[in-house]
Amino acid sequence: MVHSILMSNIAPVPSSDAAAELLDGLRALRRGTGPLPGLAPDSYARGHAAFERLSDQRSLIAEHFAGRLAKMGDGPISVLSVGCGDGSLDVRIASGLVQRLSGRPVRYVGIDPWPGSVELFTAKMAALMADELSVEAHVASFDDAPVNETFDVVLFVHSMYYVADVGATLRSALDLLRPGGELWVAIAPSAALNALVEVLAPPLEGHRQWFSADVEKAFVDTGITLGDEATLDALVDLASASDEVLDFAVQARLTPELYGPVRAYLDAVSVPGTDGRLRVPHPVDVFAATRRRPVERRAGPTTVV
Ligand SMILES: C[S@@+](CC[C@H](N)C(=O)[O-])C[C@H]1O[C@@H](n2cnc3c(N)ncnc32)[C@H](O)[C@@H]1O
């Protein structure tokens, strides 16, 4: 189900008194202690892959972007995926493009700082065995990526949490677009699930994790006009999740005494899915902006604004 971002952001966080009490309990357990350790890249990647197996978000995101890509016509297309991870989502998007564009060139570039993920991204894309698909991948964070070309689409799926400066990142991403190209940012709001991140995750290098509201504010502050926005109502089944999945969900290596209270909190914020089984809502907000086309002047050079 898709609805506007404002609707998802007015949901009470957390969603019940019991959940609020459990969250307070977790705060109390952490009071006066130092930050928990963060996740090493390999356990982050493993926890993430296992989390995705319990969530329906990949299908919702892939379907959403397929709809947006379909509106961009059926000519050649180039996509830059920032924070591509192991490529599980990108390979679905690329495969959809290859099938739909039947023979037209598709260029797909992935960036991720973790070499293990970039290797998997490259292998998954190679397995598509499509001659019209040209793939490149860089082991780099967005700020350092050696990208010297422009794209029709620049995509951040769940990677904007980690950048040092959201506004500067949005501007740089816009610079990597061809005129008329589109920047898409998929990121979670600070809702029930991410309330745990706010309580338990250690700070990143000099900043907390960013959420949807930070991205929306950065769009406004940088003067980049936001296009249509959407929220995808994803659900994740964390009832029987492993400790590694819970570590990924809270973005920290939990200590043994924290797993019980974290599981109790997740139960308290769960809602029944269509099959009646309890699941944790984890909405995904999607922001979009278009790089404007050049403005024709009567005399003098053409400028892009
Ligand atoms: C939650 S994963 C998302 C992966 C993929 N986009 C997906 O949806 O499956 C976030 C990814 O962002 C990457 N990442 C973290 N900081 C980054 C940065 N500064 N620049 C680019 N990628 C980054 C991480 O290594 C990780 O693979």
Side-chain angles (χ1 to χ4, degrees):
M1 187 186 162
V2 177
H3 54 69
S4 87
I5 284 176
L6 278 179
M7 274 172 70
S8 84
N9 283 349
I10 55 171
V13 180
S15 56
S16 72
D17 289 349
E21 269 175 38
L22 288 159
L23 200 61
D24 281 346
L26 278 162
R27 278 196 196 93
L29 280 172
R30 298 299 306 141
R31 200 160 294 133
T33 63
L36 290 166
L39 300 178
D42 56 342
S43 50
Y44 176 101
R46 271 198 317 272
H48 176 220
F51 178 95
E52 293 293 348
R53 288 193 284 274
L54 302 173
S55 164
D56 60 0
Q57 70 167 336
R58 279 248 168 88
S59 301
L60 294 174
I61 296 172
E63 204 179 301
H64 180 81
F65 286 137
R68 285 184 182 264
L69 284 161
K71 289 188 203 145
M72 295 184 79
D74 53 10
I77 194 151
S78 55
V79 178
L80 172 66
S81 173
V82 182
C84 57
D86 68 7
S88 298
L89 177 68
D90 293 299
V91 78
R92 286 169 79 153
I93 295 173
S95 151
L97 282 171
V98 166
Q99 280 173 28
R100 188 171 65 79
L101 300 183
S102 53
R104 307 261 169 100
V106 175
R107 169 104 175 122
Y108 215 106
V109 177
I111 297 173
D112 201 286
W114 171 235
S117 290
V118 171
E119 252 173 54
L120 290 168
F121 168 91
T122 306
K124 284 191 173 87
M125 288 293 190
L128 286 179
M129 293 201 299
D131 290 342
E132 61 273 49
L133 176 64
S134 123
V135 178
E136 197 172 308
H138 302 285
V139 177
S141 65
F142 179 61
D143 289 344
D144 307 325
V147 176
N148 301 310
E149 60 188 298
T150 52
F151 298 87
D152 297 301
V153 174
V154 175
L155 195 60
F156 289 71
V157 178
H158 289 311
S159 51
M160 196 62 89
Y161 309 104
Y162 309 113
V163 302
D165 181 330
V166 180
T169 301
L170 294 177
R171 279 188 181 286
S172 305
L174 216 61
D175 287 345
L176 288 172
L177 287 169
R178 294 187 185 137
E182 303 209 1
L183 167 61
W184 299 336
V185 181
I187 185 165
S190 170
L193 182 58
N194 286 316
L196 286 174
V197 172
E198 290 173 312
V199 173
L200 297 166
L204 302 168
E205 286 162 23
H207 64 91
R208 64 176 169 81
Q209 288 201 14
W210 311 117
F211 292 109
S212 301
D214 302 300
V215 171
E216 189 159 30
K217 181 174 182 309
F219 269 106
V220 172
D221 291 350
T222 49
I224 301 171
T225 308
L226 266 171
D228 54 333
E229 304 166 33
T231 294
L232 314 177
D233 287 327
L235 294 170
V236 58
D237 179 356
L238 293 177
S240 54
S242 65
D243 289 352
E244 191 164 48
V245 169
L246 292 193
D247 286 356
F248 173 78
V250 308
Q251 303 270 288
R253 193 140 51 75
L254 292 168
T255 50
E257 74 279 9
L258 291 170
Y259 287 108
V262 164
R263 287 184 194 281
Y265 171 82
L266 291 170
D267 279 353
V269 296
S270 290
V271 297
T274 47
D275 58 1
R277 196 176 156 82
L278 288 179
R279 290 187 172 79
V280 179
H282 70 116
V284 181
D285 292 329
V286 184
F287 298 94
T290 305
R291 178 157 186 187
R292 289 191 210 154
R293 293 181 190 281
V295 174
E296 296 289 342
R297 299 241 167 111
R298 286 222 175 107
T302 301
T303 52
V304 177
V305 291

